Amino acid sequence: METSGLYSLPKLNYDYNGLVPYISEEQLRIHHQKHHQAYVNGANAILEKLDKARKDGADIDMKSTLKELSFNIGGHLLHSLFWGNLAPAGKGGKLGGALADSINNEFGSFDRFKKEFSQAATSVEGSGWAALSLCKQTNRPIIMQIEKHNTNVYPTFKILMVLDVFEHAYYIDYKNDRAKFVEAFWNIVNWDEVNRRMQSK
Ligand code: MN
C-alpha cells in the first residue's frame, strides 16, 4: 500500500459524521487527522533519521530510537485496523460465517465473547487497545490486551478487530467513561471486515 517507503494516513471508508451518535464528528476528525497523523509523522521522521544516520555513518541510540519507532508504527497500524473494523451503524453486516463459528467454539457464545472483550478494553492499564487476534498455530481466537501500541503483543498473531481505548479516542464524547464508549463500540463494528480478515491468508 505504501509505495514511497514512508507511511501515509489512510482515508476513512465513511464520512466523519458516519459513526454518529456513537462517535461524534469532532471526536472522529481529531482522532484521525491529529492523533493518527501524528503517529504517521512520527514513524516517518524516525525512518528519515535512520536513513540520514546510515548515510552519514553517524551513531544513534538504537534502544530509544527503536522503542519510539515501534510505538509510532504500532500506532499507525492499529489505527488503520481500527478505522477498517468500524462502520456506520447498520452497515457493518452481521456476525456470521466462519467468524461466528470460531467465536462460538472458543467462547461458547457471542455474549461471553462480548463480555470478555469489553472487560479487556475497560481494564487496559493506562493507554492501549483491546484486540481480537487469531493464533496461527492453534487457529484459536485470542483476546489481546495491548498497552500503548506495542506492549503485550503476541508475535505473529493475526489481528482481526481492535478497539482503541486511549483517552483521545473517547474523551470529547464520553469524558472519562471508558466503559460507556466500549459499550457504544458494539453498535459500529464492521463484522464483514472482521470476518474477511479472519479468512484472508
Ligand atoms: Mn487512537
Side-chain angles (χ1 to χ4, degrees):
M1 230 168 104
E2 275 93 22
T3 53
S4 64
L6 293 174
Y7 296 105
S8 59
L9 188 69
K11 286 200 173 8
L12 302 180
N13 293 323
Y14 33 81
D15 293 333
Y16 282 112
N17 64 5
L19 303 177
V20 172
Y22 304 105
I23 299 177
S24 70
E25 180 171 348
E26 182 187 12
Q27 178 75 76
L28 183 59
R29 193 181 288 277
I30 286 177
H31 196 178
H32 181 246
Q33 293 182 347
K34 302 293 181 190
H35 293 281
H36 186 171
Q37 183 72 58
Y39 301 124
V40 170
N41 295 347
N44 288 338
I46 297 160
L47 291 175
E48 285 168 343
K49 184 178 99 173
L50 284 166
D51 285 345
K52 186 171 187 309
R54 288 165 187 161
K55 193 162 153 259
D56 298 345
D59 283 333
I60 42 175
D61 180 340
M62 284 313 291
K63 185 179 170 184
S64 68
T65 300
L66 294 181
K67 192 173 180 184
E68 203 185 339
L69 185 62
S70 168
F71 178 77
N72 281 285
I73 292 178
H76 167 54
L77 296 179
L78 285 166
H79 282 91
S80 300
L81 286 165
F82 185 46
W83 310 132
N85 68 229
L86 298 179
K91 297 281 172 64
K94 287 200 162 55
L95 173 60
L99 178 66
D101 292 343
S102 176
I103 284 176
N104 284 326
N105 285 339
E106 179 70 24
F107 299 95
S109 67
F110 173 73
D111 285 346
R112 177 72 197 189
F113 160 66
K114 183 180 171 185
K115 184 176 166 182
E116 289 191 19
F117 189 93
S118 296
Q119 287 179 343
T122 49
S123 66
V124 172
E125 205 169 281
S127 294
W129 299 72
L132 178 66
S133 65
L134 189 69
C135 174
K136 292 175 180 176
Q137 291 190 0
T138 62
N139 215 32
R140 290 179 73 145
I142 305 278
I143 294 170
M144 188 155 60
Q145 198 178 42
I146 305 170
E147 293 179 6
K148 299 181 185 172
H149 296 144
N150 49 357
T151 311
N152 294 0
V153 172
Y154 298 119
T156 81
F157 278 27
K158 179 157 59 171
I159 296 181
L160 307 179
M161 177 175 93
V162 293
L163 170 56
D164 187 347
V165 290
F166 273 61
E167 277 192 349
H168 72 225
Y170 59 86
Y171 206 82
I172 291 171
D173 292 342
Y174 298 96
K175 298 295 180 277
N176 60 338
D177 195 346
R178 186 193 287 184
K180 201 171 165 193
F181 169 61
V182 170
E183 187 57 35
F185 163 75
W186 296 103
N187 296 289
I188 48 173
V189 175
N190 188 339
W191 292 113
D192 291 342
E193 172 63 12
V194 180
N195 196 31
R196 191 194 62 72
R197 286 176 188 168
M198 194 181 76
Q199 300 194 70
S200 71
K201 290 287 173 225

